[in-house]
Amino acid sequence: MEIIILTVLCNLDPTPLISTFGHLQTTEVIITDERIAHIKERHPEDYNLFEQYGRDSILSPDILLQDLKNAGTIFAVKKLPDTNLNVVIRLVLDTDNPDFKNSVMTFYRIRDKNLKKLMERNPILYIKE
């Protein structure tokens, strides 16, 4: 039996998500040890940024986008003076197992050019004024 270690990061604001996804099972957002290992392995130069800004990127994103390629998934983007941060979150919808939590799938920096493409290809759920 595999033991999964998870860390509760914060509670997200479901308000901008309800019209697209309906009510969520929970607002709690977690990250598993496996996903932390993924970020460290695939985006090692970004892990320190995740530790520093990951929680804030979820609590107060500058942009929220619906991920059209993955059902029930969003991009929470935080703009910094010299880069952008993208937290990919799988939401727990009404139709999902109520024991599941909203989960961080990955985290990485995203250039302005790639953010613009992401915004062109996916529905905008929220933009901070």
PDB file of all heavy atoms in Angstrom, residues 111-129:
ATOM      1  N   ARG A 111       6.151  32.583 -20.005  1.00  0.00           N
ATOM      2  CA  ARG A 111       6.501  33.856 -20.648  1.00  0.00           C
ATOM      3  C   ARG A 111       5.243  34.567 -21.129  1.00  0.00           C
ATOM      4  O   ARG A 111       4.218  33.933 -21.395  1.00  0.00           O
ATOM      5  CB  ARG A 111       7.438  33.627 -21.827  1.00  0.00           C
ATOM      6  CG  ARG A 111       8.776  33.068 -21.420  1.00  0.00           C
ATOM      7  CD  ARG A 111       9.656  32.894 -22.617  1.00  0.00           C
ATOM      8  NE  ARG A 111       8.982  32.043 -23.608  1.00  0.00           N
ATOM      9  CZ  ARG A 111       9.601  31.408 -24.575  1.00  0.00           C
ATOM     10  NH1 ARG A 111      10.894  31.502 -24.713  1.00  0.00           N
ATOM     11  NH2 ARG A 111       8.936  30.669 -25.434  1.00  0.00           N
ATOM     12  N   ASP A 112       5.336  35.896 -21.292  1.00  0.00           N
ATOM     13  CA  ASP A 112       4.203  36.703 -21.755  1.00  0.00           C
ATOM     14  C   ASP A 112       3.636  36.159 -23.067  1.00  0.00           C
ATOM     15  O   ASP A 112       2.422  36.066 -23.236  1.00  0.00           O
ATOM     16  CB  ASP A 112       4.619  38.167 -21.944  1.00  0.00           C
ATOM     17  CG  ASP A 112       4.787  38.910 -20.634  1.00  0.00           C
ATOM     18  OD1 ASP A 112       4.149  38.514 -19.631  1.00  0.00           O
ATOM     19  OD2 ASP A 112       5.551  39.898 -20.600  1.00  0.00           O
ATOM     20  N   LYS A 113       4.521  35.802 -23.992  1.00  0.00           N
ATOM     21  CA  LYS A 113       4.096  35.298 -25.304  1.00  0.00           C
ATOM     22  C   LYS A 113       3.268  34.020 -25.145  1.00  0.00           C
ATOM     23  O   LYS A 113       2.217  33.855 -25.776  1.00  0.00           O
ATOM     24  CB  LYS A 113       5.341  35.038 -26.163  1.00  0.00           C
ATOM     25  CG  LYS A 113       5.056  34.531 -27.554  1.00  0.00           C
ATOM     26  CD  LYS A 113       6.341  34.429 -28.354  1.00  0.00           C
ATOM     27  CE  LYS A 113       6.906  33.038 -28.164  1.00  0.00           C
ATOM     28  NZ  LYS A 113       8.045  32.743 -29.037  1.00  0.00           N
ATOM     29  N   ASN A 114       3.717  33.101 -24.286  1.00  0.00           N
ATOM     30  CA  ASN A 114       2.991  31.849 -24.081  1.00  0.00           C
ATOM     31  C   ASN A 114       1.709  32.063 -23.286  1.00  0.00           C
ATOM     32  O   ASN A 114       0.712  31.380 -23.508  1.00  0.00           O
ATOM     33  CB  ASN A 114       3.889  30.819 -23.399  1.00  0.00           C
ATOM     34  CG  ASN A 114       5.019  30.374 -24.300  1.00  0.00           C
ATOM     35  OD1 ASN A 114       5.041  30.695 -25.492  1.00  0.00           O
ATOM     36  ND2 ASN A 114       5.967  29.652 -23.752  1.00  0.00           N
ATOM     37  N   LEU A 115       1.727  33.023 -22.366  1.00  0.00           N
ATOM     38  CA  LEU A 115       0.506  33.361 -21.629  1.00  0.00           C
ATOM     39  C   LEU A 115      -0.543  33.912 -22.584  1.00  0.00           C
ATOM     40  O   LEU A 115      -1.722  33.558 -22.495  1.00  0.00           O
ATOM     41  CB  LEU A 115       0.810  34.358 -20.509  1.00  0.00           C
ATOM     42  CG  LEU A 115      -0.395  34.861 -19.726  1.00  0.00           C
ATOM     43  CD1 LEU A 115      -1.173  33.711 -19.091  1.00  0.00           C
ATOM     44  CD2 LEU A 115       0.048  35.860 -18.666  1.00  0.00           C
ATOM     45  N   LYS A 116      -0.112  34.751 -23.507  1.00  0.00           N
ATOM     46  CA  LYS A 116      -1.049  35.317 -24.489  1.00  0.00           C
ATOM     47  C   LYS A 116      -1.700  34.197 -25.305  1.00  0.00           C
ATOM     48  O   LYS A 116      -2.915  34.198 -25.515  1.00  0.00           O
ATOM     49  CB  LYS A 116      -0.311  36.301 -25.403  1.00  0.00           C
ATOM     50  CG  LYS A 116      -1.209  37.021 -26.356  1.00  0.00           C
ATOM     51  CD  LYS A 116      -0.459  38.025 -27.204  1.00  0.00           C
ATOM     52  CE  LYS A 116      -1.446  38.713 -28.126  1.00  0.00           C
ATOM     53  NZ  LYS A 116      -0.846  39.260 -29.303  1.00  0.00           N
ATOM     54  N   LYS A 117      -0.896  33.217 -25.745  1.00  0.00           N
ATOM     55  CA  LYS A 117      -1.436  32.073 -26.495  1.00  0.00           C
ATOM     56  C   LYS A 117      -2.418  31.275 -25.642  1.00  0.00           C
ATOM     57  O   LYS A 117      -3.473  30.853 -26.125  1.00  0.00           O
ATOM     58  CB  LYS A 117      -0.298  31.148 -26.946  1.00  0.00           C
ATOM     59  CG  LYS A 117       0.491  31.648 -28.108  1.00  0.00           C
ATOM     60  CD  LYS A 117       1.520  30.599 -28.492  1.00  0.00           C
ATOM     61  CE  LYS A 117       2.533  31.150 -29.461  1.00  0.00           C
ATOM     62  NZ  LYS A 117       3.636  30.199 -29.682  1.00  0.00           N
ATOM     63  N   LEU A 118      -2.050  31.049 -24.385  1.00  0.00           N
ATOM     64  CA  LEU A 118      -2.920  30.306 -23.471  1.00  0.00           C
ATOM     65  C   LEU A 118      -4.263  31.024 -23.322  1.00  0.00           C
ATOM     66  O   LEU A 118      -5.320  30.394 -23.321  1.00  0.00           O
ATOM     67  CB  LEU A 118      -2.224  30.173 -22.110  1.00  0.00           C
ATOM     68  CG  LEU A 118      -2.646  29.049 -21.186  1.00  0.00           C
ATOM     69  CD1 LEU A 118      -2.370  27.692 -21.812  1.00  0.00           C
ATOM     70  CD2 LEU A 118      -1.914  29.178 -19.859  1.00  0.00           C
ATOM     71  N   MET A 119      -4.223  32.348 -23.236  1.00  0.00           N
ATOM     72  CA  MET A 119      -5.443  33.151 -23.083  1.00  0.00           C
ATOM     73  C   MET A 119      -6.282  33.147 -24.361  1.00  0.00           C
ATOM     74  O   MET A 119      -7.501  33.251 -24.296  1.00  0.00           O
ATOM     75  CB  MET A 119      -5.092  34.575 -22.660  1.00  0.00           C
ATOM     76  CG  MET A 119      -4.529  34.642 -21.252  1.00  0.00           C
ATOM     77  SD  MET A 119      -3.947  36.285 -20.787  1.00  0.00           S
ATOM     78  CE  MET A 119      -5.522  37.142 -20.611  1.00  0.00           C
ATOM     79  N   GLU A 120      -5.638  33.031 -25.500  1.00  0.00           N
ATOM     80  CA  GLU A 120      -6.368  32.979 -26.778  1.00  0.00           C
ATOM     81  C   GLU A 120      -7.061  31.630 -26.959  1.00  0.00           C
ATOM     82  O   GLU A 120      -8.109  31.548 -27.584  1.00  0.00           O
ATOM     83  CB  GLU A 120      -5.414  33.229 -27.949  1.00  0.00           C
ATOM     84  CG  GLU A 120      -4.938  34.667 -28.042  1.00  0.00           C
ATOM     85  CD  GLU A 120      -3.787  34.844 -29.033  1.00  0.00           C
ATOM     86  OE1 GLU A 120      -3.319  33.850 -29.642  1.00  0.00           O
ATOM     87  OE2 GLU A 120      -3.338  36.003 -29.183  1.00  0.00           O
ATOM     88  N   ARG A 121      -6.472  30.580 -26.398  1.00  0.00           N
ATOM     89  CA  ARG A 121      -6.965  29.208 -26.638  1.00  0.00           C
ATOM     90  C   ARG A 121      -7.897  28.679 -25.556  1.00  0.00           C
ATOM     91  O   ARG A 121      -8.505  27.627 -25.736  1.00  0.00           O
ATOM     92  CB  ARG A 121      -5.781  28.263 -26.772  1.00  0.00           C
ATOM     93  CG  ARG A 121      -4.928  28.561 -27.977  1.00  0.00           C
ATOM     94  CD  ARG A 121      -3.743  27.651 -28.065  1.00  0.00           C
ATOM     95  NE  ARG A 121      -2.942  28.003 -29.229  1.00  0.00           N
ATOM     96  CZ  ARG A 121      -1.687  27.655 -29.392  1.00  0.00           C
ATOM     97  NH1 ARG A 121      -1.078  26.933 -28.467  1.00  0.00           N
ATOM     98  NH2 ARG A 121      -1.035  28.003 -30.469  1.00  0.00           N
ATOM     99  N   ASN A 122      -7.968  29.366 -24.422  1.00  0.00           N
ATOM    100  CA  ASN A 122      -8.777  28.876 -23.305  1.00  0.00           C
ATOM    101  C   ASN A 122      -9.673  29.985 -22.765  1.00  0.00           C
ATOM    102  O   ASN A 122      -9.266  31.148 -22.730  1.00  0.00           O
ATOM    103  CB  ASN A 122      -7.855  28.375 -22.180  1.00  0.00           C
ATOM    104  CG  ASN A 122      -7.071  27.153 -22.588  1.00  0.00           C
ATOM    105  OD1 ASN A 122      -7.585  26.044 -22.601  1.00  0.00           O
ATOM    106  ND2 ASN A 122      -5.804  27.356 -22.955  1.00  0.00           N
ATOM    107  N   PRO A 123     -10.884  29.632 -22.337  1.00  0.00           N
ATOM    108  CA  PRO A 123     -11.813  30.643 -21.809  1.00  0.00           C
ATOM    109  C   PRO A 123     -11.261  31.331 -20.560  1.00  0.00           C
ATOM    110  O   PRO A 123     -10.722  30.684 -19.660  1.00  0.00           O
ATOM    111  CB  PRO A 123     -13.066  29.835 -21.464  1.00  0.00           C
ATOM    112  CG  PRO A 123     -12.962  28.585 -22.263  1.00  0.00           C
ATOM    113  CD  PRO A 123     -11.498  28.302 -22.411  1.00  0.00           C
ATOM    114  N   ILE A 124     -11.427  32.631 -20.525  1.00  0.00           N
ATOM    115  CA  ILE A 124     -11.010  33.432 -19.380  1.00  0.00           C
ATOM    116  C   ILE A 124     -12.137  33.393 -18.338  1.00  0.00           C
ATOM    117  O   ILE A 124     -13.280  33.735 -18.647  1.00  0.00           O
ATOM    118  CB  ILE A 124     -10.693  34.885 -19.783  1.00  0.00           C
ATOM    119  CG1 ILE A 124      -9.513  34.897 -20.748  1.00  0.00           C
ATOM    120  CG2 ILE A 124     -10.416  35.742 -18.549  1.00  0.00           C
ATOM    121  CD1 ILE A 124      -9.258  36.239 -21.424  1.00  0.00           C
ATOM    122  N   LEU A 125     -11.808  32.973 -17.123  1.00  0.00           N
ATOM    123  CA  LEU A 125     -12.778  32.913 -16.043  1.00  0.00           C
ATOM    124  C   LEU A 125     -12.736  34.171 -15.179  1.00  0.00           C
ATOM    125  O   LEU A 125     -13.732  34.556 -14.586  1.00  0.00           O
ATOM    126  CB  LEU A 125     -12.517  31.678 -15.173  1.00  0.00           C
ATOM    127  CG  LEU A 125     -12.508  30.338 -15.899  1.00  0.00           C
ATOM    128  CD1 LEU A 125     -12.025  29.231 -14.975  1.00  0.00           C
ATOM    129  CD2 LEU A 125     -13.894  30.024 -16.436  1.00  0.00           C
ATOM    130  N   TYR A 126     -11.548  34.778 -15.121  1.00  0.00           N
ATOM    131  CA  TYR A 126     -11.366  35.941 -14.255  1.00  0.00           C
ATOM    132  C   TYR A 126     -10.073  36.659 -14.653  1.00  0.00           C
ATOM    133  O   TYR A 126      -9.082  36.008 -14.963  1.00  0.00           O
ATOM    134  CB  TYR A 126     -11.263  35.486 -12.803  1.00  0.00           C
ATOM    135  CG  TYR A 126     -10.757  36.537 -11.836  1.00  0.00           C
ATOM    136  CD1 TYR A 126     -11.624  37.496 -11.304  1.00  0.00           C
ATOM    137  CD2 TYR A 126      -9.424  36.561 -11.448  1.00  0.00           C
ATOM    138  CE1 TYR A 126     -11.155  38.446 -10.419  1.00  0.00           C
ATOM    139  CE2 TYR A 126      -8.959  37.521 -10.562  1.00  0.00           C
ATOM    140  CZ  TYR A 126      -9.828  38.466 -10.058  1.00  0.00           C
ATOM    141  OH  TYR A 126      -9.370  39.416  -9.190  1.00  0.00           O
ATOM    142  N   ILE A 127     -10.123  37.990 -14.660  1.00  0.00           N
ATOM    143  CA  ILE A 127      -8.923  38.807 -14.801  1.00  0.00           C
ATOM    144  C   ILE A 127      -8.987  39.900 -13.740  1.00  0.00           C
ATOM    145  O   ILE A 127     -10.003  40.599 -13.637  1.00  0.00           O
ATOM    146  CB  ILE A 127      -8.784  39.458 -16.198  1.00  0.00           C
ATOM    147  CG1 ILE A 127      -8.551  38.392 -17.263  1.00  0.00           C
ATOM    148  CG2 ILE A 127      -7.657  40.470 -16.206  1.00  0.00           C
ATOM    149  CD1 ILE A 127      -8.275  38.940 -18.634  1.00  0.00           C
ATOM    150  N   LYS A 128      -7.917  40.042 -12.974  1.00  0.00           N
ATOM    151  CA  LYS A 128      -7.851  41.073 -11.935  1.00  0.00           C
ATOM    152  C   LYS A 128      -7.793  42.437 -12.615  1.00  0.00           C
ATOM    153  O   LYS A 128      -7.034  42.637 -13.548  1.00  0.00           O
ATOM    154  CB  LYS A 128      -6.600  40.866 -11.069  1.00  0.00           C
ATOM    155  CG  LYS A 128      -6.543  41.797  -9.879  1.00  0.00           C
ATOM    156  CD  LYS A 128      -5.265  41.562  -9.103  1.00  0.00           C
ATOM    157  CE  LYS A 128      -5.585  40.792  -7.846  1.00  0.00           C
ATOM    158  NZ  LYS A 128      -4.388  40.556  -7.025  1.00  0.00           N
ATOM    159  N   GLU A 129      -8.637  43.331 -12.151  1.00  0.00           N
ATOM    160  CA  GLU A 129      -8.684  44.680 -12.738  1.00  0.00           C
ATOM    161  C   GLU A 129      -7.575  45.540 -12.222  1.00  0.00           C
ATOM    162  O   GLU A 129      -7.187  45.511 -11.114  1.00  0.00           O
ATOM    163  CB  GLU A 129     -10.035  45.337 -12.418  1.00  0.00           C
ATOM    164  CG  GLU A 129     -11.197  44.628 -13.096  1.00  0.00           C
ATOM    165  CD  GLU A 129     -11.143  44.669 -14.608  1.00  0.00           C
ATOM    166  OE1 GLU A 129     -10.718  45.685 -15.170  1.00  0.00           O
ATOM    167  OE2 GLU A 129     -11.503  43.652 -15.226  1.00  0.00           O
TER     168      GLU A 129
END
